[in-house]
Amino acid sequence: MIAASALDYRELSRRRLPHFLFEYIDGGSYAEVTLERNVDDLKHIALRQRVLRDVSNLDLSTEIFGQKLALPVALAPIGLAGLNARRGECQAVRAAESAGIPFTLSTVSACNIEEVAAAATRPFWFQLYMIRDRAFMRDLMARARAAGCSTMVFTVDMPVPGSRYRDYHSGLAGAAGLKGALRRTFQGALKPHWAWDVGVMGRPHSLGNVEPVLGDQSGIEDFFAWMRNNFDPSINWKDLDFIRAEWDGPLIIKGLLDPDDAREAAELGADGIVVSNHGGRQLDGVLSTAHALPPIADAVGDRLTVLADGGIRSGLDVVRMLALGAKGVLIGRAWAYALGARGQAGIEHVLKLIDAEMRVAMSLTGVTRIDQIDRSILAE
């Protein structure tokens, strides 16, 4: 199959990955209403086509937190993404560097901070959850700083994990013990290329950053149990003081959908926010990012850097998000699909597709620079 879009990579990854892993990437919470809204609402944002403009010299570069980016795009943090291909997060950081954009490593990655840092040649971003064990959090931030991470992305929309029905149906959740392990092993055996590439050759350090607290003999069930038991529902705005005391670099608050929360983040000194509903994986039925973004950008866009994620599957979607008020976007499933399908080469190709699609969208809306993309290119 020839991949011409991120959605083509979705199908390729479905064919290659064990069922439980593909469903984990692809699914959302409950009835997946918000997951669908993210894609559909963004898809229906109409652009204003303009003609006979000189668009012979396009510049897609931008600057975010003092870092020059070739595209206004970063790879979003995705838990366990490294299980999609051998040492997957290491492949992803190399792909991001090749494209001139940031990679964001998840707290719950398959490859740990130090391994990804060894694969990288430039600073990457690190994503942090609020964990009950503050000593573990403090240690993670120190490790990220020692590894040269430039920016902290603090996710705040997961005080408790959402219920994702697909994970129960696939056997990733709910089927504990030997029964669950056998079910997942059977699914893996049906994908022999993945089983060899990831299950055998990519096995070392499979618990990533949480291995120091779980031990190297723990499995995926222990991993998810630790996650469920250690997210902190007592998290509140005062906890930003703890993060700031430990981290002196740029701080991005990820997971905001309400202008009042965005104002609170600005008041407390965040450098940026990500307007996000966790890709439709947390509270089902909330606004899509495309609908939540404009009022938030209006409220705080002059006080901090507004980024967005959710539903972005093309360069056209990137332009739509920028027109709605974002200064940059994070892509998640698009790079996870590509990693699962073809590893680093897949991610590099998806980013080239996004670049090409952005160029077409900019040319046909009559803009030549990223800072020219605003609501003036939206149709009434």
Side-chain angles (χ1 to χ4, degrees), residues 298-373:
D298 290 343
V300 299
D302 60 341
R303 302 170 64 187
L304 43 68
T305 299
V306 177
L307 308 174
D309 71 15
I312 299 165
R313 302 291 187 269
S314 67
L316 182 58
D317 289 338
V318 174
V319 170
R320 287 173 169 136
M321 282 292 198
L322 298 180
L324 292 172
K327 298 300 182 186
V329 306
L330 281 68
I331 60 169
R333 286 182 176 89
W335 78 261
Y337 293 145
L339 176 67
R342 292 178 179 164
Q344 179 179 339
I347 301 174
E348 290 175 351
H349 185 217
V350 160
L351 292 172
K352 288 177 181 177
L353 291 173
I354 287 173
D355 181 292
E357 292 158 351
M358 286 187 67
R359 290 179 184 277
V360 172
M362 291 172 65
S363 295
L364 294 178
T365 53
V367 297
T368 59
R369 301 192 314 271
I370 296 302
D371 61 7
Q372 294 174 344
I373 302 175

Side-chain angles (χ1 to χ4, degrees), residues 60-71:
L60 277 62
S61 68
T62 191
E63 186 173 301
I64 295 178
F65 307 121
Q67 184 177 356
K68 185 71 174 290
L69 311 183
L71 296 170

Side-chain angles (χ1 to χ4, degrees), residues 102 157 161 242 294 373 375:
D157 60 355
F242 168 73
I373 302 175
R375 287 179 210 171

Side-chain angles (χ1 to χ4, degrees), residues 265-282:
E267 288 293 330
L268 293 174
D271 300 291
I273 60 171
V274 182
V275 181
S276 173
N277 51 43
H278 216 99
R281 294 168 68 82
Q282 281 295 95

Side-chain angles (χ1 to χ4, degrees), residues 130-168:
M130 181 56 73
I131 304 298
R132 293 177 188 270
D133 185 345
R134 298 297 197 267
F136 175 74
M137 288 183 66
R138 187 177 290 111
D139 179 63
L140 267 184
M141 287 187 277
R143 289 169 61 188
R145 185 166 50 250
C149 294
S150 62
T151 301
M152 183 68 65
V153 180
F154 182 42
T155 299
V156 296
D157 60 355
M158 205 165 177
V160 294
S163 185
R164 300 163 192 170
Y165 297 157
R166 285 210 227 177
D167 290 346
Y168 287 89

